[in-house]
Amino acid sequence: NLETNSQKLPVLVYIHGGSLMTGSSWSENYDGESLTKKGIIVVTIAYRVGVFGYYAHEDLAAESPNHTTGNYGLLDQIKALEWINQNIGYFGGDADNITIAGESAGSSSVNALCASPLSKGLFRRAIGESSSLVVPVPPHTFRSQADAFKMGHNIMQEFKAKSIEDLRKVPAKKLIKTRYSNNAMTIDPYAMPEYPWEIYKAGKNHEEALLNGFNLDEGRAFTTLSSINLKNYKKLVEESPYVTDAEGIYQLMPVKNNKDAKRLYTDVFSVVCFTYPHYSWTQVVSAQNRPVYEYCFLKENPSVSTMHSGEIIYAYGNLDKNTKKIYTDEDYALSETMMNYWVNFAKFGDPNGNPKSPDYGKLLPYWEKATEKSGEQKLLQLGTEIKMTTDPFTPFYEYLNFDIAK
């Protein structure tokens, strides 16, 4: 029994992560079967990554009728959305009710799709998990055109190519082993005419409603193997171009030993790369009077836990696919709730359900819009307890400046 006005099903299009360098359109963590059982269609898409997805060069821009280069993976995603719009009806889907979703670089891609002039009208809503480009200079997955072209020239030199034609003669198996990481989109006049921040500030972004958020310990996935201690943690913190007042940050978390030092730096990493960009995304879209729902995932568990990507298996209902049987009834209850939020958002643009239903707001812990409490930006805590709370990283934000990296 569909709760929508249409006989056709809402559609969620998932864009995988992987730093724009790796990843797949299929994974047990974001298999869409469990969500489809709740009355939506899930489509997962592939796109070019690495040197084939994000290589940039002036000669490629010159030979393109649209003068585009460096965003081939993004163009793949747009082409996939075009195909879905044209064909999803044959699969029972509603082309007028499409939500795009992604995690990590997939979330950065969602941001880019919300900003690109080419994707206007191809979807209605957006879900972004653990990555945002909505700051003046994003800390990852986006770069200036000058930086993109510089890497393009470096790769040509690496393979001793004197022209684009020479580079095309390099076997793909060899080219993919380049020592340079093509892991960022860039500005080009066709797919991304400005930084996403400028497009959002001008109100040219496309999402009618937004669900976005981060995990409590995002940075630990990136700092676990790093040697961070009392001797070097201050140097590492102060090397960040986004930290404008390191002394203020040190006052937030007194450091007495190596464990404390690593904890502090990991939190700074989380704040710079993930939590503040999501805070900013929420702020900007809320100011446009569009509905925004932000979360913080903090459910500890024996797997990825609250680190980067830890929420995916819960939100997409795939705990059963973990053969180690490590999850408890508490985990399954949280997963069920998160799935319902995600599905409701895809159906109605509201994680709480159908606003026209008499049961609205009664079947799940109520998720307030970011603008519902004046003077406060609240988010939903997704853990053993599900409740509205404040962003735990807010005290860090006054010591950052994302303009300073320009």
Side-chain angles (χ1 to χ4, degrees):
N1 295 324
L2 297 183
E3 296 177 75
T4 60
N5 293 325
S6 168
Q7 292 301 308
K8 294 197 171 183
L9 293 166
V11 180
L12 186 145
V13 179
Y14 186 83
I15 304 165
H16 70 78
S19 301
L20 302 183
M21 290 288 291
T22 184
S24 161
S25 59
W26 182 88
S27 166
E28 288 186 342
N29 282 358
Y30 46 80
D31 183 301
E33 181 181 4
S34 294
L35 298 189
T36 64
K37 291 177 180 178
K38 294 180 178 290
I40 67 171
I41 290 176
V42 178
V43 183
T44 56
I45 64 174
Y47 57 98
R48 282 171 287 181
V49 296
V51 69
F52 299 113
Y54 300 96
Y55 179 84
H57 196 280
E58 297 94 329
D59 290 350
L60 289 173
E63 72 178 32
S64 164
N66 301 306
H67 307 291
T68 184
T69 187
N71 292 313
Y72 305 108
L74 177 62
L75 290 171
D76 288 346
Q77 295 165 12
I78 294 168
K79 186 58 65 176
L81 283 172
E82 290 175 353
W83 189 94
I84 291 164
N85 271 262
Q86 294 165 6
N87 294 282
I88 200 64
Y90 296 114
F91 299 88
D94 184 357
D96 293 323
N97 195 6
I98 294 174
T99 296
I100 57 173
E103 186 271 343
S104 192
S107 184
S108 294
S109 297
V110 165
N111 250 176
L113 290 167
C114 289
S116 174
L118 301 180
S119 57
K120 185 176 182 180
L122 296 179
F123 61 91
R124 293 184 61 186
R125 297 179 277 269
I127 297 174
E129 303 168 36
S130 300
S131 192
S132 163
L133 301 176
V134 190
V135 290
V137 179
H140 54 74
T141 50
F142 202 90
R143 57 185 169 176
S144 69
Q145 190 178 73
D147 286 344
F149 284 160
K150 181 180 179 181
M151 184 178 289
H153 285 279
N154 288 339
I155 290 173
M156 286 187 71
Q157 293 174 7
E158 179 186 10
F159 291 100
K160 298 180 172 57
K162 295 182 179 180
S163 67
I164 289 296
E165 288 305 316
D166 286 346
L167 199 61
R168 285 184 171 129
K169 294 174 184 176
V170 178
K173 288 183 179 180
K174 185 176 180 181
L175 192 60
I176 202 170
K177 295 179 181 178
T178 172
R179 65 176 178 269
Y180 296 97
S181 297
N182 287 262
N183 60 355
M185 295 168 274
T186 189
I187 294 172
D188 85 79
Y190 183 57
M192 191 60 61
E194 299 176 272
Y195 273 92
W197 170 258
E198 302 297 338
I199 295 170
Y200 269 82
K201 293 298 285 185
K204 297 178 182 178
N205 50 301
H206 312 316
E207 68 270 46
E208 295 177 6
L210 170 66
L211 187 158
N212 80 119
F214 55 85
N215 299 345
L216 186 65
D217 203 8
E218 295 274 1
R220 189 154 58 94
F222 304 91
T223 64
T224 294
L225 300 179
S226 301
S227 178
I228 302 164
N229 51 51
L230 282 169
K231 294 181 179 179
N232 66 8
Y233 82 96
K234 287 189 174 181
K235 179 176 182 293
L236 293 171
V237 169
E238 292 161 18
E239 281 177 349
S240 171
Y242 301 100
V243 173
T244 54
D245 184 355
E247 291 300 325
I249 289 176
Y250 301 148
Q251 294 302 311
L252 295 176
M253 297 179 65
V255 172
K256 299 178 181 178
N257 51 47
N258 289 340
K259 184 178 180 180
D260 292 342
K262 192 160 191 172
R263 177 72 270 164
L264 173 62
Y265 178 71
T266 297
D267 279 353
V268 171
F269 190 103
S270 296
V271 166
V272 167
C273 290
F274 302 104
T275 79
Y276 183 86
H278 274 286
Y279 166 84
S280 182
W281 193 0
T282 294
Q283 286 272 301
V284 171
V285 178
S286 292
Q288 297 169 343
N289 292 317
R290 308 185 198 197
V292 184
Y293 303 89
E294 188 176 0
Y295 71 84
C296 174
F297 178 84
L298 41 66
K299 179 66 177 71
E300 298 289 345
N301 59 71
S303 183
V304 181
S305 197
T306 62
M307 292 191 292
H308 190 65
S309 81
E311 88 296 344
I312 302 175
I313 197 169
Y314 286 80
Y316 293 86
N318 292 304
L319 299 182
D320 276 338
K321 292 184 170 64
N322 185 297
T323 57
K324 296 180 181 178
K325 307 298 181 186
I326 58 176
Y327 297 105
T328 66
D329 290 345
E330 202 173 76
D331 293 302
Y332 282 97
L334 175 60
S335 178
E336 181 69 19
T337 298
M338 289 178 67
M339 282 193 288
N340 286 328
Y341 282 140
W342 264 238
V343 168
N344 283 339
F345 186 79
K347 287 180 178 180
F348 311 111
D350 187 328
N352 300 295
N354 184 353
K356 297 179 181 180
S357 168
D359 290 329
Y360 175 74
K362 300 176 182 178
L363 302 180
L364 296 165
Y366 188 68
W367 192 340
E368 299 172 15
K369 286 186 287 190
T371 54
E372 284 192 6
K373 295 289 184 181
S374 63
E376 286 186 302
Q377 179 167 305
K378 301 191 79 176
L379 46 70
L380 186 73
Q381 170 185 307
L382 293 170
T384 301
E385 186 177 6
I386 300 173
K387 64 178 183 179
M388 297 302 300
T389 186
T390 54
D391 184 340
F393 295 100
T394 300
F396 284 85
Y397 297 160
E398 65 178 292
Y399 305 119
L400 306 177
N401 186 344
F402 281 76
D403 279 308
I404 203 167
K406 284 187 176 180

